[in-house]
C-alpha cells in the first residue's frame, strides 16, 4: 500500500509535488487546517443569506456580476456555473497532470480563504484515493479568471456530471463515483466558483514540464560529457576555479558534474600533451555556462511554481480574521506564464547546444579524427548523417515553440477579463518540447557512444562506460547501415525512463531545490 501524502497548505515543497505527479499515492490535507476552512465556510453562508451583494455568492459572474441572485437560487447558480464553464475541447490531459491539479486545488482550498465546506475537500481526497480521474480537455483556458474550463471539468465529476476514468475505463462521472463508493455533492454558496477560479491547471502543467525538463537537463550533462570525450575535448573548462570566478550556482553545479563524469578517462589523458587544438568549440567548452544557466532558470521557475502551488488563487477570498470577503485577482496566472516561458527557453537551449554537439561529432572537420558521420566505412555507409538532420528538425521545432506565450493577451468575457496570462498555453507546450528534447538527447547518446567506441582501445571514464553499456543493452554499435529509426526510438525511450541518470548514479548531480 502506498503511503498517504499529507499536505500542509502553504508549506509543500517541490519534491512532494513531484511525488504526487509521479505516483498514485493517496493525498490528504493536514487536519489542522480544517478549522480555518470551516470558519470561512460559515462566513460565506452568512453572506449568502444577507442583503449585501457579494460577487459569486449572490450575484452572477464576470460581466453578469451586477445581477443579484435570490437566496433560494444560490445552489442552482453554482451548478449552472459548472455546467456552462465545462467548455473545454481537445485531447484529454494525462492522468498524472489531472491528479496534480486536484492536489493543488486541495492546497488552495486548505488555506481557509475560499469559503467551501469540508465536504468538498473530503470528496476531492476520496477521488484521489480511489483513482477517479476526471476527463479534462486540454484546451480552453487563457489563464485569466483562473483555469475556468479545465477546473470545471474536474468539478463536473464531483456533482455527478462530466466524464471520468476509473480502472482504465472512461465513463460518466456519476458512474465513476458510484463504482468507487463515492457520492456526488450538491454545491453550496460560492463552492462552484471556488473550484473553478484558480491556476491549478496551468500550475500542474508547468510543474509537469519542470519535472521533466530538470531530468532531461541532468541527462544532457551525461550525454554532453560523453560527447566531450568522444571528440577528445578538454575537461579544463570544467574546473571549479573557472566557475568560481563567475559565481553562478547553476554553472558551478553543471561544471562539477561534467568534471566528475569524465574523471579518470583514458581518452582524456591520451591528448593532454601534443594536442594542437587550443580551444574546443563552444558546444563543448561552454557547457557549464549554457546548461548551468538553464539549471538556474529552472530553479527560479521552480520557486515561482512552489509559491503558486501553495497559494489561495480563487475569488473572492475570505479573510477569516475580520470576516471580510474581498474580490481580488489572485486567479490571474501571470507568474505561472512567466515561469513556463522560462522553462521553455531552457528546454530549447538544452536542445540547441546538444544538437551542435551531435553536428560536431558527425563532421570529420571538427571531430578530431572520427570518420565522417561516424560510419566505419563512410561513403558506402551514411552512418548518422540523417539522424543529425532529425535532431536539427527537433531543435527547430523547440525554438519555434519557445516564443513567449505570456505577452499574447487577448480580451475575453465581454472585456471584463481584458488582460489574460495565457499561462495554460505556456505550460501545455512544455510536454511536447520535452518530448523533442528527449529525442535530441537520445540521438546525442547514440552518436557520442559511437564516437567513444571508435576511440578504442582507449576507454572513457568508468562512469561513462556504464552509460555506454546501458545504451548497448538496447542498441548495438553501428557498423554497416541499418534501419535506424528503431535505434533512435530505443535511445529516446531510455532517456525518457531516466536510464542515463541511473547509469551514472555514483556521481552527484545537481538538485532542483538546492539553491534558488
Amino acid at each position: 500500500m502506498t503511503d498517504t501524502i499529507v499536505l500542509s497548505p502553504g508549506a509543500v515543497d517541490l519534491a512532494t509535488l513531484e511525488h504526487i505527479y509521479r505516483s498514485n499515492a493517496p493525498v490528504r490535507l493536514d487536519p489542522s487546517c480544517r478549522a480555518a476552512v470551516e470558519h470561512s465556510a460559515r462566513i460565506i453562508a452568512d453572506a449568502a443569506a444577507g442583503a449585501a451583494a457579494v460577487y459569486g455568492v449572490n450575484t452572477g459572474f464576470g460581466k453578469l456580476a451586477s445581477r443579484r441572485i435570490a437566496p433560494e437560487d444560490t445552489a442552482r447558480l453554482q451548478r449552472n456555473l459548472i455546467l456552462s464553464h465545462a467548455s473545454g475541447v481537445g485531447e484529454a490531459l494525462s492522468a498524472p497532470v489531472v491528479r496534480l491539479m486536484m492536489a493543488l486545488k486541495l492546497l488552495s482550498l486548505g488555506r481557509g480563504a475560499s469559503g467551501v465546506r469540508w465536504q468538498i475537500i473530503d470528496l476531492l481526497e476520496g477521488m484521489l484515493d480511489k483513482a477517479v480521474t476526471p476527463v479534462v480537455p486540454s484546451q480552453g483556458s487563457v489563464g485569466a479568471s483562473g483555469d475556468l474550463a479545465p477546473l470545471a471539468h474536474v468539478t463536473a465529476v464531483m456533482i455527478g456530471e462530466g466524464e471520468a476514468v476509473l480502472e482504465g475505463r472512461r465513463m460518466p462521472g456519476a458512474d465513476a463515483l458510484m463504482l468507487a463508493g463515492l457520492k456526488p455533492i450538491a454545491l453550496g454558496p460560492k463552492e462552484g466558483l471556488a473550484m473553478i477560479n484558480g491556476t491549478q491547471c496551468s500550475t500542474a502543467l508547468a510543474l509537469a514540464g519542470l519535472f521533466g525538463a530538470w531530468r532531461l537537463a541532468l541527462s544532457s550533462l551525461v550525454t554532453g560529457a560523453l560527447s566531450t570525450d568522444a571528440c577528445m575535448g578538454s575537461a579544463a573548462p570544467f574546473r571549479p576555479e573557472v566557475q568560481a570566478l563567475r559565481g553562478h550556482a547553476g554553472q558551478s553545479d553543471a561544471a562539477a558534474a561534467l568534471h566528475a563524469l569524465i574523471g579518470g578517462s583514458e581518452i582524456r589523458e591520451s591528448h593532454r600533451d601534443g594536442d594542437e587544438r587550443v580551444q574546443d568549440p563552444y558546444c563543448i567548452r561552454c557547457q557549464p555556462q549554457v546548461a548551468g544557466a538553464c539549471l538556474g532558470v529552472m530553479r527560479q521557475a521552480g520557486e515561482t511554481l512552489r509559491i503558486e502551488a501553495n497559494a489561495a488563487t480563487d475569488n473572492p477570498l475570505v479573510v477569516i480574521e475580520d470576516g471580510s470577503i474581498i474580490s481580488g485577482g489572485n486567479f490571474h496566472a501571470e507568474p505561472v506564464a512567466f515561469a513556463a516561458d522560462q522553462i521553455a527557453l531552457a528546454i530549447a537551449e538544452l536542445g540547441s547546444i546538444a544538437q551542435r554537439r551531435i553536428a560536431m561529432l558527425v563532421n570529420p572537420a571538427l571531430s578530431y579524427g572520427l570518420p565522417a558521420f561516424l560510419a566505419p566505412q563512410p561513403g558506402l555507409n551514411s552512418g548518422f548523417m540523417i539522424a543529425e538532420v532529425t535532431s536539427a528538425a527537433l531543435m527547430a521545432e523547440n525554438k519555434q515553440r519557445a516564443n513567449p506565450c505570456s505577452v499574447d493577451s487577448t480580451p475575453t468575457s465581454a472585456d471584463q477579463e481584458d488582460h489574460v496570462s495565457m499561462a495554460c498555453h505556456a505550460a501545455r507546450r512544455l510536454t511536447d518540447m520535452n518530448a523533442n528534447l528527449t529525442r535530441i538527447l537520445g540521438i546525442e547518446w547514440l552518436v557520442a557512444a559511437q564516437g567513444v567506441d571508435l576511440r578504442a582501445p582507449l576507454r572513457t571514464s568508468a562512469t561513462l562506460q556504464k552509460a555506454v553499456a546501458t545504451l548497448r543493452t538496447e542498441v548495438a554499435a553501428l557498423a554497416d547501415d541499418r534501419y535506424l529509426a528503431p535505434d533512435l526510438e530505443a535511445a529516446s525511450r531510455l532517456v525518457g525512463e531516466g536510464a542515463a541518470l541511473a547509469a551514472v548514479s555514483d556521481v552527484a548531480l545537481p538538485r532542483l531545490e538546492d539553491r534558488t
Side-chain angles (χ1 to χ4, degrees), residues 368-395:
Y368 201 59
L370 293 174
F373 304 108
L374 301 174
Q377 290 184 291
L380 178 63
N381 295 287
S382 295
F384 289 98
M385 179 188 293
I386 304 305
E388 184 268 328
V389 174
T390 296
S391 73
L394 296 168
M395 175 193 69

Side-chain angles (χ1 to χ4, degrees), residues 47 126 133 168 266 276 286 288-289 320 350 407 420 498 506:
T133 306
E266 292 178 0
E276 72 274 12
C286 297
Q289 289 75 17
I320 61 174
L350 289 167
V407 298
V420 303
D506 54 328

Side-chain angles (χ1 to χ4, degrees), residues 16 36 99-100 111 125 147 164 182 192 202 209 272 311 336 339-340 410 422 438-439 459 471 476 480 515:
T16 301
R99 287 180 57 83
L100 184 54
R111 294 297 296 268
E125 291 177 344
D147 294 316
L182 302 171
S202 296
R272 281 190 183 274
V336 182
T410 184
M422 295 300 182
T438 300
R439 291 186 170 95
R459 295 185 297 177
L471 178 66
D480 291 334
R515 299 168 176 154

Side-chain angles (χ1 to χ4, degrees), residues 4 25 38 54 59 89 100 102 117 137 170-171 201 206 219 225 228 239 245 247 269 293 316 320 340 405 408 440 494:
T4 298
E38 293 183 332
V54 179
T59 75
V89 297
L100 184 54
M102 295 164 71
R117 295 165 298 158
R170 183 167 173 165
M171 63 187 73
C201 182
S219 296
T228 301
R239 287 177 51 177
L245 287 168
E269 295 303 317
I320 61 174
C405 296
D408 191 25
I440 293 170
L494 288 172

Side-chain angles (χ1 to χ4, degrees), residues 224-510:
L226 200 59
S227 290
T228 301
D229 230 16
C231 74
M232 287 191 161
S234 173
F238 309 152
R239 287 177 51 177
E241 298 89 342
V242 176
Q243 326 317 319
L245 287 168
R246 198 171 199 189
H248 291 299
Q251 177 179 325
S252 294
D253 291 347
L258 289 163
H259 202 270
L261 287 163
I262 295 175
S265 166
E266 292 178 0
I267 298 173
R268 173 69 188 107
E269 295 303 317
S270 72
H271 62 99
R272 281 190 183 274
D273 299 319
D275 190 333
E276 72 274 12
R277 297 172 297 172
V278 177
Q279 296 179 329
D280 292 317
Y282 286 3
C283 66
I284 297 296
R285 186 172 18 126
C286 297
Q287 288 180 80
Q289 289 75 17
V290 176
C294 293
L295 296 181
V297 161
M298 284 191 274
R299 282 171 170 159
Q300 292 170 20
E303 178 61 8
T304 296
L305 295 175
R306 182 196 65 78
I307 292 169
E308 188 74 7
N310 283 281
T313 57
D314 65 290
N315 177 61
L317 292 172
V318 180
V319 180
I320 61 174
E321 288 77 13
D322 64 9
S324 58
I325 303 171
I326 304 173
S327 287
N330 279 5
F331 49 70
H332 198 293
E334 194 82 352
V336 182
F338 281 157
D341 279 349
Q342 287 180 288
I343 296 165
L345 291 173
I347 294 169
E349 282 297 275
L350 289 167
S352 178
I353 195 169
Q355 200 283 326
R356 295 320 303 156
R357 293 192 295 264
I358 295 167
M360 179 200 62
L361 285 173
V362 301
N363 185 346
L366 299 174
S367 63
Y368 201 59
L370 293 174
F373 304 108
L374 301 174
Q377 290 184 291
L380 178 63
N381 295 287
S382 295
F384 289 98
M385 179 188 293
I386 304 305
E388 184 268 328
V389 174
T390 296
S391 73
L394 296 168
M395 175 193 69
E397 277 193 21
N398 273 3
K399 288 198 294 184
Q400 292 154 9
R401 287 174 170 164
N403 284 309
C405 296
S406 54
V407 298
D408 191 25
S409 177
T410 184
T412 60
S413 193
D415 277 352
Q416 176 73 9
E417 298 160 9
D418 58 354
H419 182 278
V420 303
S421 72
M422 295 300 182
C424 217
H425 295 70
R428 182 161 49 87
R429 83 324 199 143
L430 300 179
T431 298
D432 290 337
M433 292 183 70
N434 277 336
N436 284 344
L437 179 55
T438 300
R439 291 186 170 95
I440 293 170
L441 296 180
I443 293 169
E444 184 181 15
W445 198 357
L446 286 170
V447 299
Q450 180 84 355
V452 164
D453 286 346
L454 291 169
R455 298 294 183 188
L458 296 174
R459 295 185 297 177
T460 189
S461 69
T463 298
L464 291 178
Q465 285 179 51
K466 288 187 282 188
V468 174
T470 296
L471 178 66
R472 293 291 175 244
T473 62
E474 298 272 348
V475 183
L478 188 65
D480 291 334
D481 282 349
R482 61 176 181 249
Y483 187 54
L484 208 52
D487 294 357
L488 271 59
E489 285 303 312
S492 171
R493 176 174 50 78
L494 288 172
V495 171
E497 292 171 352
L501 300 181
V504 302
S505 58
D506 54 328
V507 169
L509 296 174

